[in-house]
Amino acid sequence: MTDSPVSPTGGHVTETDDDTVPDRARTLFGLGAGNAMEWFDWTVYATFASFFAGQFFNNEDSVSALLSTLAVFAVGFAARPLGGFVFGWVADRKGRQVSMALCLALAAGGSLVIGLSPTYEQIGLGASALLLLARLGQGLAHGGELPAAQTYIAEVAPRKRRGLWSSLIYFSGTCGVLAGTLLGALLSGVLTQEQMYSYGWRVPFILGGVFGLYSLYVRLRMRETEVFLAENDEENSAEPKGRMWDTIKQHPKLLFQVIGMTVGATVLYYVWAISAPSYAISVHGIDPTSALWAGVGAQVLFLISLPLWGMLSDRIGRKPVLFIASGGLLVTSIPLDALLGDQAWQLFLAMSIALLLMGGFSSIAPAIYAEMFPTRIRAVGLGLPYAIAVAAFGGTAPYLQTLFADLGNPSLFLFYAMGLMVITILVLFTLPETRGIDLSSDDVGAHGRRKSAVGAHAGTR
């Protein structure tokens, strides 16, 4: 017997176990490079905002220009749910590979527009409009990238190693974040402040755009997943299963499960992986350079943990790993908050513990989300609720954390985050074990998912 699942049309879906090494390398590189580039763009905007704010808005009031620039950053966040819906629909109707290519083209184009745009002094409000449109496009692309990429990696991965393969999403994304942070540190050390304000800020956007176009070329050579092709063949057959919206209406519970699973994890991810160094600098008075390097060190440990958690989930199951990670984050929230002081080593230790636990959730989330939904709504069913949860809870987490600290009661945010994690843990109890499930099976997302657990054992035969 083989591990090749039987498609709904009766034909065999070729799994990645039978791929050649070059095929796997091209798939993993195309997926990872594009995802890293999008996270790179997301990071460098915030990192270099203070340098280019006066280039796109009236520089007579530098604070107002910076606030306007950050407002455009928020617009990009707000666009993510729409991007999740639009590109999720494209992924489920036209193909995962098509959706990922479109997202990458939009993100790379937006980066080049920002990097090559005329300034406010040259074209006035036109510069502000170009920045807004570019960031809006990148927000749409970022919202569509994750559901399409997560679905793609889950569908091409070998069933027995889907957890390991899914760790590529956050591994590559974190590499993009680290690259943006390190480039910022490098440029600010090599160029003078005047050079950074004049042209240095353009460098990361131009690099991101060029690398994005190369990644687009690689993605265009990637093949569509066999799971999607088998489903698409059936949709075009004499007896189709029904339209996408009919399928979505049959599974409303899954949409709420995605939101419930995401709210706790996304808040703690943005707190510890994204904003912890800046929070430590502004609230605890840690030296900025030391805080940034502490954050880089913790992110490296996070990277190392991701494939290890993925492999563990392939051996013991998804739910045990999720409960270990989520429960660990919940019970350590108060001690880790107390650990933060005015020393960089304290920040490094607290971030490292939090991110090592977060790795258990982040590494296998793409596999779990894909294993929840039927093929025909796998991307759009994930994309919209996931983007809503991230924008509403993850995107506001750094602001709320700083606000409560400024009001003199940081514990309010701590209990807010812990409450959301309790919601996530409660939702986990409603999920079945899906390790090794056949993603082309009708059992995915159906009938209380009793048969899915059986499929998990079949996937390891």
Side-chain angles (χ1 to χ4, degrees), residues 125-315:
L125 289 176
S128 306
L130 282 174
L131 178 66
L132 177 62
L133 289 175
R135 199 58 187 172
L136 182 63
Q138 289 186 322
L140 292 171
H142 203 70
E145 165 73 11
L146 277 177
Q150 291 187 70
T151 298
Y152 187 95
I153 193 66
E155 290 184 347
V156 301
R159 282 189 285 168
K160 292 186 290 184
R161 295 194 292 274
R162 191 179 294 138
L164 171 61
W165 278 50
S166 74
S167 67
L168 174 68
I169 298 299
Y170 274 88
F171 187 93
S172 59
T174 303
C175 287
V177 172
L178 282 174
T181 303
L182 292 174
L183 181 59
L186 177 63
L187 287 175
S188 62
V190 172
L191 301 178
T192 66
Q193 189 174 28
E194 291 75 16
Q195 290 172 326
M196 286 295 295
Y197 280 102
S198 176
Y199 65 85
W201 63 269
R202 295 183 183 271
V203 173
F205 293 103
I206 295 174
L207 286 178
V210 172
F211 182 64
L213 292 177
Y214 172 72
S215 301
L216 175 62
Y217 167 75
V218 177
R219 277 196 174 178
L220 289 173
R221 300 178 63 200
M222 293 166 60
R223 66 182 185 181
E224 186 54 76
T225 73
E226 297 290 345
V227 174
F228 172 81
L229 292 176
E231 180 69 26
N232 195 53
D233 287 342
E234 176 152 339
E235 293 258 332
N236 295 326
S237 67
E239 297 181 1
K241 290 185 178 181
R243 295 185 303 175
M244 178 188 299
W245 293 114
D246 295 332
T247 307
I248 292 176
K249 288 187 291 185
Q250 293 170 10
H251 302 281
K253 178 182 176 181
L254 297 180
L255 306 182
F256 290 102
Q257 284 177 318
V258 169
I259 293 176
M261 285 177 59
T262 305
V263 291
T266 191
V267 167
L268 292 179
Y269 176 81
Y270 273 91
V271 165
W272 289 110
I274 304 298
S275 67
S278 61
Y279 179 79
I281 293 168
S282 60
V283 176
H284 292 275
I286 296 179
D287 172 69
T289 301
S290 300
L292 289 173
W293 279 111
V296 169
Q299 290 279 9
V300 171
L301 292 179
F302 177 63
L303 280 175
I304 295 172
S305 76
L306 290 172
L308 299 179
W309 281 114
M311 288 189 288
L312 182 63
S313 79
D314 287 329
R315 292 184 63 87

Side-chain angles (χ1 to χ4, degrees), residues 277-365:
S278 61
Y279 179 79
I281 293 168
S282 60
V283 176
H284 292 275
I286 296 179
D287 172 69
T289 301
S290 300
L292 289 173
W293 279 111
V296 169
Q299 290 279 9
V300 171
L301 292 179
F302 177 63
L303 280 175
I304 295 172
S305 76
L306 290 172
L308 299 179
W309 281 114
M311 288 189 288
L312 182 63
S313 79
D314 287 329
R315 292 184 63 87
I316 69 173
R318 314 291 189 228
K319 291 186 70 173
V321 169
L322 287 179
F323 278 121
I324 292 171
S326 302
L329 286 167
L330 180 62
V331 301
T332 60
S333 291
I334 293 177
L336 291 179
D337 184 70
L339 177 60
L340 280 178
D342 59 359
Q343 299 296 316
W345 70 265
Q346 294 174 303
L347 172 64
F348 170 74
L349 184 58
M351 281 189 68
S352 297
I353 294 172
L355 290 181
L356 286 174
L357 290 169
M358 179 59 66
F361 198 101
S362 300
S363 63
I364 62 174

